Amino acid sequence: MIREVRPGVYQKNAQIAHIIGVKPRSARFSPCTSEKEARERESFKNLVLLCLAHHAEVDDKNYGEKQYPSELLREWKREHEGRNGPVLDSLPPINEDKIASLLIASFTPPLARLEKVTEQLERTGTLTADTLRDLRNIVTVMSNNATDPEADSARRLAYAAEVFENQALRASARSLAHAMEILPALIQKLDQQLKRLGRYL
């Protein structure tokens, strides 16, 4: 929903869509039959956060309801929120500005999170499942804007995460150290072979 464009300055990159529309002529609108249903429509249970492009599609007055029925949006919400869904569903009515201010208050910029992961790797020398998951999340956040200089770094991090996903860093470091030990000898042998070949050419 937000991204840090420079230290302390945030920009929205997502918007709230209502699963069941709250205004007449909005996508997926149906009249409320009770006061309880009206309150539920304003609760977090009826909200889904979408990127700006998808928000426009999902709420499009001409085809939003047909292409993005409420059942599909609920499925997206369940998948995205996972085990946090029931807790989030119990939130009282909330608006976009309030959500943004809560996110900013708890937001840790991707580079700060990356520093934390790096410190942990340096300290422990192993890549745990939790660390890998956090690394993948950081990569996803950094990759969201393809024109951002961080996108190239994100691609490199994604590659590193793949390489080390099933290996302990200490074992990988040992392999690299071994390669560095034997590489000079291999280069020397290769150089000798090239010199011999040069005599015959």
Side-chain angles (χ1 to χ4, degrees):
M1 174 133 183
I2 57 166
R3 65 184 289 266
E4 190 176 40
V5 290
R6 59 183 180 275
V9 178
Y10 302 92
Q11 181 182 62
K12 281 199 296 187
N13 61 2
Q15 285 183 314
I16 292 173
H18 288 87
I19 295 172
I20 302 294
V22 294
K23 296 178 182 173
R25 295 194 306 264
S26 63
R28 297 167 303 280
F29 173 78
S30 68
C32 292
T33 57
S34 68
E35 185 64 33
K36 180 183 177 191
E37 188 179 345
R39 281 194 308 275
E40 282 183 2
R41 293 252 178 110
E42 293 296 335
S43 73
F44 197 82
K45 188 175 185 175
N46 190 45
L47 304 178
V48 62
L49 296 175
L50 300 170
C51 68
L52 300 178
H54 272 113
H55 181 268
E57 282 185 35
V58 165
D59 275 359
D60 185 273
K61 290 178 181 157
N62 298 319
Y63 60 84
E65 188 166 349
K66 288 179 185 171
Q67 290 190 333
Y68 302 97
S70 57
E71 296 79 26
L72 176 62
L73 297 183
R74 282 193 185 99
E75 184 182 328
W76 285 1
K77 184 176 174 71
R78 272 192 304 274
E79 287 176 8
H80 184 72
E81 293 176 356
R83 60 184 180 176
N84 299 314
V87 174
L88 292 170
D89 284 348
S90 67
L91 289 173
I94 192 166
N95 64 30
E96 221 168 294
D97 292 336
K98 179 66 174 170
I99 291 174
S101 67
L102 290 170
L103 287 172
I104 288 169
S106 61
F107 181 70
T108 305
L111 291 177
R113 289 169 59 200
L114 184 57
E115 283 178 15
K116 185 178 175 185
V117 169
T118 304
E119 287 169 9
Q120 181 182 348
L121 290 173
E122 287 174 348
R123 203 171 52 253
T124 64
T126 57
L127 189 64
T128 65
D130 288 341
T131 307
L132 181 63
R133 188 169 38 257
D134 200 25
L135 184 58
R136 286 187 190 280
N137 288 338
I138 294 165
V139 168
T140 301
V141 169
M142 291 172 69
S143 299
N144 277 343
N145 187 354
T147 59
D148 197 312
E150 291 178 354
D152 185 52
S153 300
R155 283 189 289 277
R156 292 170 196 246
L157 286 169
Y159 175 73
E162 279 181 39
V163 168
F164 295 118
E165 182 170 11
N166 297 315
Q167 300 178 18
L169 286 181
R170 283 197 176 111
S172 301
R174 279 195 298 273
S175 297
L176 287 171
H178 178 68
M180 287 175 64
E181 285 174 14
I182 64 169
L183 193 57
L186 288 173
I187 291 172
Q188 189 175 14
K189 284 181 184 177
L190 184 60
D191 189 45
Q192 289 170 356
Q193 293 292 336
L194 287 172
K195 284 179 183 174
R196 282 186 201 147
L197 284 171
R199 287 186 222 145
Y200 298 110
L201 298 175

